[in-house]
Amino acid sequence: QGSIVVHVRVAPLGGEHTLVIADDRTEFTRTAAMRNDFVANVSHELKTPVGAVSLLAEAIDSAADDPVAVRRFAGRMDKEARRLAELVQDIIELSRLQGTDVVLKGTVVDLREILSEAVDRTALLAQERGVKIGVGGDTHAFVFGDPDLLMTAFRNLIDNALRYSPEGTTVGVGIRERDGLVSVSVTDQGPGIPVDEQERVFERFYRVDTARSRSTGGTGLGLSIVKHVVSNHGGEVTLWSQPGQGSTFTVRLPESEEQGERVDALQARS
Ligand code: ADP
């Protein structure tokens, strides 16, 4: 697949030789089509907030005599501008990740530390949403990778869990090392995701329920970023969910060999 095999007779050498011409046009065409899709999707997604900002500018202009209305429109304009900034940031992040198969900055990372910090950083959102959140499981779990990218990935999963959770529910973050693999699960008691859409939620800009997603915010790129970060680290992300029974996203990453023995020693001591 992706190559042409040609049998040739090369006179001076005699006999039959096999010439394999690697044809990477299929790959090239596929990448080009994906890039075109991405540009089309991005343009479409940017149009909404950009259009809203210019409509609000017009509204402010025509409500100049009404300070209350001006303040209200300005507030909405600020919200749209923030949304735009978030979208642009995610687009840049995703295109950076798509351009590479390797982890650029690698170091030994304690995932427990990353997760605790990610949970701390979402404390305000959890409070706003009236959702409880906690981290449990192993006290250390070391992987090799880029701490900033790993933080981005887990922040996205935790943010989603909080944003899609009804008030009064709990989000659980669990970490476990076993047989050379570190598993992190983020579980919520939200609406869940229908089975036939579970693969699609990792696609760029795919949303299960457009109306609901719009009201909960988000760019539609979060899970796509998670998938790229995890695969760049040699891992995988899976989803278990049933409508009405919440969702669990599980990330599995190879344990850092250097630290594996240290973890066992630390856990034996604690
Ligand atoms: P968004 O920014 O819209 O949340 P994501 O790529 O992070 O984009 O997620 C894609 C879609 O998957 C969301 O729009 C939502 O429909 C669904 N989704 C993601 N996480 C959850 C979750 N924890 N519970 C229910 N639905 C979710």
Side-chain angles (χ1 to χ4, degrees):
Q1 205 195 347
S3 60
I4 302 164
V5 178
V6 187
H7 296 283
V8 287
R9 205 173 273 282
V10 185
L13 298 172
E16 176 119 321
H17 295 266
T18 305
L19 183 67
V20 179
I21 304 169
D23 174 23
D24 56 4
R25 270 177 310 171
T26 35
E27 186 56 28
F28 177 77
T29 318
R30 208 170 61 88
T31 318
M34 272 169 60
R35 198 174 308 125
N36 284 345
D37 268 7
F38 186 43
V39 173
N41 286 342
V42 164
S43 325
H44 176 80
E45 295 290 329
L46 288 175
K47 269 185 195 153
T48 315
V50 168
V53 166
S54 69
L55 279 177
L56 286 160
E58 274 174 36
I60 289 176
D61 193 35
S62 52
D65 303 334
D66 181 351
V68 177
V70 167
R71 212 168 308 131
R72 187 159 46 89
F73 290 140
R76 277 171 53 191
M77 199 164 163
D78 182 52
K79 218 171 138 192
E80 292 295 341
R82 278 171 203 270
R83 197 179 138 61
L84 201 52
E86 199 189 337
L87 195 56
V88 168
Q89 197 185 335
D90 275 3
I91 290 165
I92 292 170
E93 185 81 270
L94 190 58
S95 40
R96 195 164 70 89
L97 286 167
Q98 281 174 338
T100 167
D101 290 334
V102 285
V103 176
L104 299 175
K105 199 170 91 191
T107 171
V108 176
V109 181
D110 187 350
L111 273 193
R112 175 65 187 233
E113 258 172 42
I114 299 262
L115 291 170
S116 302
E117 197 180 326
V119 167
D120 284 350
R121 290 195 200 174
T122 51
L124 195 66
L125 177 63
Q127 204 184 341
E128 270 170 23
R129 310 261 331 150
V131 176
K132 279 211 189 90
I133 180 162
V135 191
D138 292 349
T139 43
H140 298 280
F142 292 94
V143 298
F144 188 81
D146 181 326
D148 296 336
L149 288 181
L150 291 167
M151 174 63 86
T152 302
F154 290 115
R155 272 291 303 267
N156 274 312
L157 290 180
I158 295 170
D159 273 5
N160 276 356
L162 292 172
R163 284 191 295 114
Y164 295 104
S165 282
E167 205 181 330
T169 58
T170 301
V171 167
V173 180
I175 182 161
R176 196 171 71 148
E177 184 280 315
R178 184 177 281 184
D179 301 330
L181 274 186
V182 176
S183 307
V184 175
S185 57
V186 179
T187 301
D188 64 59
Q189 298 168 321
I193 298 169
V195 176
D196 57 346
E197 297 193 72
Q198 290 180 6
E199 288 219 1
R200 300 212 63 192
V201 290
F202 294 97
E203 291 173 16
R204 295 178 305 230
F205 299 118
Y206 188 83
R207 295 171 178 110
V208 175
D209 176 343
T210 326
R212 190 180 70 200
S213 300
R214 195 131 289 154
S215 70
T216 46
T219 60
L221 291 175
L223 289 178
S224 193
I225 290 175
V226 172
K227 195 173 171 180
H228 275 87
V229 170
V230 173
S231 74
N232 282 3
H233 281 77
E236 58 164 15
V237 52
T238 52
L239 161 62
W240 178 93
S241 182
Q242 292 249 305
Q245 293 184 35
S247 310
T248 297
F249 285 87
T250 305
V251 171
R252 289 186 187 83
L253 294 167
E255 185 192 18
S256 159
E257 281 171 22
E258 278 175 59
Q259 294 291 335
E261 287 164 22
R262 247 192 73 195
V263 180
D264 294 341
L266 281 166
Q267 271 160 5
R269 254 193 281 150
S270 59

